[in-house]
Amino acid sequence: MRIGDAAAAAGTTPRALRFYEQRGLLAPPARTSSGQREYGSEDIARVRVIRELLAAGFTVADVHACADRLHLLTSGRPVRCTSTEPGSPGVVGQRLAALDAEIARLTGVREALARKVSGEGADTLSERPVGHTVISSGAANRKS
């Protein structure tokens, strides 16, 4: 099938298919005599797996790191996600650690903001400029 039909079948866009190909997530497809891309059912299955992994929080770099094993996920059989190197957390472990770190960072930012807004912080947000707008407790925003 051609790129538009393949994209529709995989639930994405032709642009995404080209992007996956450029990033090495999807092998360059066969071409017609006129140079148009032709995709098969295996390609569609692979694109669906790529999209599921990206939706699950993996980055394009994460997916690229295990691109040579994506075919294992298209079979529908359960696959154990472990590192091929002893002592290495693997792509899944690394992504979980990165997500945990980001959650911790955002939790800290939220707690700091909550303290400032409640007046617990030494430096409150009252009358502090943000860009060109001054945030004032109770007063309307005004240009600084």
Side-chain angles (χ1 to χ4, degrees), residues 28-50:
R31 299 268 185 165
T32 65
S33 59
S34 63
Q36 293 184 343
R37 293 171 168 87
E38 282 196 319
Y39 296 90
S41 58
E42 302 84 23
D43 298 314
I44 305 308
R46 185 176 179 96
V47 171
R48 287 181 179 148
V49 165
I50 292 167

Side-chain angles (χ1 to χ4, degrees), residues 96-112:
L96 288 172
L99 288 171
D100 288 342
E102 182 65 4
I103 289 168
R105 185 188 72 78
L106 289 171
T107 300
V109 168
R110 188 208 180 282
E111 290 170 355

Side-chain angles (χ1 to χ4, degrees), residues 67-117:
D68 61 329
R69 298 181 302 276
L70 290 180
H71 66 281
L72 299 172
L73 298 174
T74 62
S75 67
R77 296 186 323 258
V79 177
R80 186 170 170 89
C81 296
T82 58
S83 173
T84 56
E85 298 176 27
S88 171
V91 174
V92 173
Q94 291 170 357
R95 180 56 33 213
L96 288 172
L99 288 171
D100 288 342
E102 182 65 4
I103 289 168
R105 185 188 72 78
L106 289 171
T107 300
V109 168
R110 188 208 180 282
E111 290 170 355
L113 178 59
R115 279 192 308 273
K116 287 181 185 279
V117 169

